[in-house]
């Protein structure tokens, strides 16, 4: 199958141009749009999670105490996962593996190259640490985070657009993405002007739809005990299986599939397991966002609201027997 260049595509009436710049400078300091997109996504996810935790009955801005270790370990995990799944890019003859002052080192996160699946692993570890420290239930935090997280991922994909990276197969579709033939990622052997699948745009749209689905499902089915986060993993992983399958950027392949395809399949499986297991283990409502014995003692510090998505937890049960009775009463 052949793909014609833009100048010869009579049927193409539009295309998506790629940005010619990916940064601006403040004095001697370069500011990359990729980094700004990631930072903006972190801010949006933090604000949304804070709001949802407050509705659930948690203290104001407790999210900050959890977000700090989660974000730090998410960035570390994202870079480690990327390097491990692109090992030949960084290790070998002629490669600059360790020198951070030269291009191509394992430390050069500013050049791009972070993996969301590594971020999920590292971020989960950091969030678990933060939740343990503050006495918040980990699954309460995970459910509160899910919609904001997938929106943040959509915003991060906009950074890939500014970097002219992670595009898909050549296409004649009218929304094909323009990539300059001088771009190092431009596939050898293709004519200048060839259009490519804008996988960044597909994922942005998929993620924003996913955020709406998560918010609706959380209200419609009262997904608690980590089940809303499980739904996030299923939705996001399903989309990534498709987008990864049409991407053409270099990636290590295992058993015929790109490593990120395997990671996406694993995310779907884990999400389904969380939803099934947690539904069976916890058929009732969560009675408090806090671990028993770790509830705040200061009256008035909580903002619990009796909303369609959450139950009123301003008066948590006083003993284990009351917890069991309330759970049995709330079970379908």
């Amino acid at each position: 199958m052949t793909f014609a260049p833009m100048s010869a595509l009579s049927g193409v009436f539009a295309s998506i141009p790629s940005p010619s710049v990916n940064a601006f400078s403040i004095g001697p300091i370069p500011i990359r749009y990729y980094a700004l997109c990631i930072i903006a996504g972190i801010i949006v996810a933090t604000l949304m999670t804070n709001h949802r935790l407050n509705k659930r009955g948690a203290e104001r801005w407790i999210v900050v105490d959890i977000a700090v270790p989660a974000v730090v370990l998410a960035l570390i995990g994202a870079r480690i996962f990327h390097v491990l799944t692109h090992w030949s890019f960084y290790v070998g003859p002629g490669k600059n593996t360790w020198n951070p002052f030269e291009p191509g080192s394992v430390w050069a996160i500013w050049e791009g190259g972070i993996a969301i699946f590594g971020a999920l692993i590292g971020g989960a570890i950091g969030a678990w640490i933060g939740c343990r420290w503050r006495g918040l239930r980990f699954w309460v935090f995970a459910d509160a985070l899910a919609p904001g997280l997938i929106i943040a991922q959509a915003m991060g994909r906009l950074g890939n657009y500014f970097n002219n990276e992670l595009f898909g197969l050549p296409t004649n579709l009218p929304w094909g993405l323009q990539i300059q033939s001088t771009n190092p990622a431009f596939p050898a052997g293709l004519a200048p002007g060839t259009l490519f699948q804008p996988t960044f745009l597909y994922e942005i749209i998929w993620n924003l739809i996913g955020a709406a689905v998560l918010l609706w499902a959380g209200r419609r089915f009262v997904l608690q005990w980590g089940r809303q986060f499980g739904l996030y993993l299923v939705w996001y992983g399903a989309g990534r299986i498709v987008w990864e399958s049409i991407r053409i950027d270099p990636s290590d392949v295992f058993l015929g599939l790109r490593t990120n395809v395997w990671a996406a399949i694993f995310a779907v499986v884990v999400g389904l397991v969380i939803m099934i297991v947690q539904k069976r283990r916890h058929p009732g409502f969560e009675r408090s966002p806090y671990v028993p014995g770790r509830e705040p003692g200061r009256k008035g510090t909580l903002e619990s609201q009796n909303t369609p998505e959450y139950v009123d937890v301003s008066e948590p049960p006083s003993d284990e027997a009351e917890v069991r009775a309330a759970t049995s009463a709330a079970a379908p």
Side-chain angles (χ1 to χ4, degrees), residues 186-258:
F186 193 92
L190 293 182
T194 300
L195 299 177
F196 298 89
Q197 295 277 7
T199 50
F200 80 92
L201 180 60
Y202 298 157
E203 190 166 336
I204 288 174
I205 295 172
W206 178 258
N207 288 355
L208 293 179
I209 294 174
V213 170
L214 286 170
L215 291 170
W216 170 81
R219 291 179 177 273
R220 175 65 178 82
F221 303 105
V222 194
L223 298 179
Q224 297 183 350
W225 300 105
R227 287 184 289 146
Q228 195 166 21
F229 186 77
L231 178 59
Y232 152 78
L233 289 176
V234 172
W235 183 274
Y236 181 73
R240 279 299 293 271
I241 291 172
V242 178
W243 319 139
E244 286 290 335
S245 298
I246 64 175
R247 272 171 47 178
I248 58 174
D249 54 296
S251 177
D252 290 340
V253 174
F254 181 69
L255 295 179
L257 295 177
R258 294 163 62 96

Side-chain angles (χ1 to χ4, degrees), residues 22-148:
N22 65 358
F24 64 93
S25 297
I26 299 180
I29 303 174
I31 307 297
R32 299 184 183 273
Y33 295 123
Y34 180 72
L36 291 179
C37 290
I38 292 176
I39 293 171
I42 292 172
I43 293 173
V44 168
T46 301
L47 293 175
M48 284 191 65
T49 306
N50 176 68
H51 174 70
R52 288 166 57 80
L53 284 175
N54 289 165
K55 287 172 60 180
R56 182 63 183 88
E59 299 166 277
R60 291 181 179 181
W61 297 111
I62 191 175
V63 64
V64 175
D65 294 335
I66 302 169
V68 170
V71 170
V72 171
L73 290 183
L75 291 174
I76 294 173
R79 184 60 176 178
I80 291 175
F81 193 95
H82 171 77
V83 171
L84 291 177
T85 55
H86 296 77
W87 189 252
S88 59
F89 291 11
Y90 298 96
V91 179
K95 304 292 184 180
N96 171 40
T97 304
W98 304 112
N99 187 350
F101 302 104
E102 297 292 335
S105 73
V106 297
W107 316 106
I109 194 172
W110 51 88
E111 296 176 1
I114 58 175
I116 184 59
F117 295 112
L120 288 174
I121 296 171
I125 296 172
W128 181 82
I129 293 172
C131 288
R132 291 276 294 182
W133 173 39
R134 292 306 311 272
L136 192 72
R137 294 181 189 270
F138 172 78
W139 290 122
V140 170
F141 175 80
D143 286 337
L145 171 67

